[in-house]
Amino acid sequence: MRRRQRSLPTALATARSVLPAGRRNGSADGGAPAAATDDSLSGAGGTAPAPDRPEPSSTGRSGERGAGSGRDRPDACPGRRTPRERLRAWAELLRVSALFSVPGDALAGAAAVGRRPGRGTALAMGASLCLYEAGMALNDWADRDEDAVDRPHRPIPSGRVSPAAALGAAGALTAAGLALAARAGRPALTVATGLAATVWAYDLRLKHTQAGPAAMAAARSLDLLLGAAATATGVRTPSGSGSPDNVAGASAAATAPPAPGALTASRSALPAALVLGAHTYGVTAVSRHEAHGGSTRTPLTVLATTTALAAAVLGEPWRPGTGRADADTRRVGTGPLGRVADPVRLLVVGLTGAYLRTAGPPLLHAALNPSPPLTQRAVGGGIRAMIPLQAALAARAGAPVTGLAVMGLVPLARGLARKVSPT
């Protein structure tokens, strides 16, 4: 009897060893069902799917349960995401941390034409933000197949944002940007139309061609000219003196004709637009290597270009003129370093130094070690460096308060860049 009792546990152990794992964890041994172990590889949370999770595919790699396709994973189903997760996906798609590099274009353009920011400037900033975000959504829509291989974590290839939603957002944001530009006047609408056409041409056709960096540089230059044209349009003052009143309300703008020659007046912003466009050309050229790295010559060339642009900002006035901005520019740009005691000149020097400090070291690191992470960091530094460059351009044009206001966007951009990558 004792021998039979001793052999019973041995027989049970032998039977358990040949049973499937699911039966061993169940009630085959006569006890209560054991808790299912966590299966982090399959994502099913255990040996059997929960009622609110889809059945894992049984035809995965090497016969593993739960190795199904991406559409079977709960994290690839956008309909089951929380509002916060959907908001983060759209923030990544639109690269909202790079948005702070946009308002400075309009403000620098306003300073370049010798006008204080007003209603037209605000409308230009709104149009610029819409068109910039339209380009971001369209960029990811056009690159969705490439990102599925190189950057599968991006919102569209990961399934967090559908391609149709991204394309629809690009169209809606483009229409909104043109509508805001139209409210700023016909010259602003003309420039905004060219800007929108450049953005769409870059994303859909020119991005992977030799003309890609030039197209992106043209878009950024047009963005600054948009602010200049919208600000220079202005409205007539009620006294009929013909001087622009950029802070007038919509009713005044509707009853008074726009100031003539807004596009002609915005020509004084061309030098600043070319400087900003040249910087954008360099950032775009580096960004073409951010997925695979391997380029040393491009970061070195862009670093030399960045130094030359800083010297141009600190150099002599670009053109003579009679406006307030031109008079202040002549005063600021006296000699190679200007008047050292001039506070405006000191501000320009400080802002230009901040531009070099933001863009230079990441480019040098990418040149010494052209790996994808360091190349991406150089691209991010180039995007953030646009803010101090815009501030320096505004201060150089005789608008130090505007330059300081633009520089105030730096901590906001830096803080948001820690949460959402600008590249």
Side-chain angles (χ1 to χ4, degrees), residues 95 151 285-293 371-373 375-377 379-380 423:
R95 295 174 177 85
R151 293 188 286 184
V286 175
S287 70
R288 295 163 75 93
H289 304 279
E290 64 179 343
H292 304 286
S371 62
T375 303
Q376 293 170 11
R377 190 174 300 176
V379 175
T423 62

Side-chain angles (χ1 to χ4, degrees), residues 209-221:
T209 67
Q210 295 297 327
M216 184 61 73
R220 184 63 77 159
S221 297

Side-chain angles (χ1 to χ4, degrees), residues 336-352:
L337 294 178
R339 298 176 180 175
V340 179
D342 191 338
V344 178
R345 181 62 181 179
L346 291 177
L347 178 61
V348 174
V349 172
L351 294 175
T352 306

Side-chain angles (χ1 to χ4, degrees), residues 21-404:
R23 296 291 302 274
R24 291 202 304 266
N25 292 334
S27 58
D29 57 356
T37 57
D38 185 25
D39 184 4
S40 59
L41 293 178
S42 67
T47 57
D52 58 343
R53 286 194 288 262
E55 176 74 20
S57 174
S58 59
T59 60
R61 183 183 58 187
S62 301
E64 295 176 354
R65 271 184 80 103
S69 61
R71 69 182 61 183
D72 294 330
R73 296 196 305 267
D75 58 352
C77 184
R80 296 185 179 180
R81 294 194 161 269
T82 64
R84 183 175 181 178
E85 291 172 334
R86 289 194 294 268
L87 181 62
R88 180 173 180 81
W90 279 99
E92 293 179 14
L93 177 77
L94 300 177
R95 295 174 177 85
V96 294
S97 60
L99 273 180
F100 295 101
S101 68
V102 178
D105 291 345
L107 293 173
V113 296
R115 308 286 176 86
R116 283 185 288 184
R119 176 178 175 271
T121 313
L123 289 172
M125 283 192 288
S128 298
L129 290 170
C130 289
L131 294 176
Y132 186 86
E133 292 292 52
M136 290 299 172
L138 187 62
N139 174 80
D140 276 27
W141 179 84
D143 285 350
R144 61 192 185 279
D145 294 333
E146 179 182 344
D147 286 344
V149 177
D150 295 333
R151 293 188 286 184
H153 62 278
R154 292 294 301 162
I156 292 181
S158 65
R160 292 176 292 158
V161 176
S162 68
L167 183 60
L173 287 168
T174 301
L178 293 177
L180 289 172
R183 290 181 59 85
R186 184 175 298 175
L189 178 60
T190 301
V191 179
T193 302
L195 173 58
T198 304
V199 169
W200 280 73
Y202 171 81
D203 285 330
L204 298 181
R205 182 67 179 175
L206 302 177
K207 182 189 309 181
H208 300 293
T209 67
Q210 295 297 327
M216 184 61 73
R220 184 63 77 159
S221 297
L222 286 172
D223 200 29
L224 189 145
L225 293 176
L226 172 60
T231 305
T233 299
V235 293
R236 302 287 189 180
T237 57
S239 60
S241 60
S243 58
D245 179 15
N246 290 321
V247 296
S251 59
T255 57
L263 287 176
T264 302
S266 63
R267 289 178 183 175
S268 58
L270 277 176
L274 291 177
V275 168
L276 195 60
H279 172 78
T280 306
Y281 186 102
V283 175
T284 308
V286 175
S287 70
R288 295 163 75 93
H289 304 279
E290 64 179 343
H292 304 286
S295 175
T296 298
R297 180 183 302 177
T298 302
L300 280 178
T301 303
V302 175
L303 180 59
T305 303
T306 301
T307 306
L309 292 177
V313 174
L314 295 175
E316 294 293 334
W318 291 315
R319 62 181 295 275
T322 57
R324 176 182 65 86
D326 293 313
D328 291 339
T329 301
R330 289 196 301 272
R331 176 173 60 86
V332 169
T334 302
L337 294 178
R339 298 176 180 175
V340 179
D342 191 338
V344 178
R345 181 62 181 179
L346 291 177
L347 178 61
V348 174
V349 172
L351 294 175
T352 306
Y355 163 64
L356 285 173
R357 176 65 181 83
T358 306
L363 287 171
L364 181 59
H365 295 160
L368 295 176
N369 181 12
S371 62
L374 290 181
T375 303
Q376 293 170 11
R377 190 174 300 176
V379 175
I383 294 174
R384 291 190 300 271
M386 289 182 183
I387 300 178
L389 178 59
Q390 295 160 347
L393 292 173
R396 187 188 196 278
V401 176
T402 300
L404 290 174

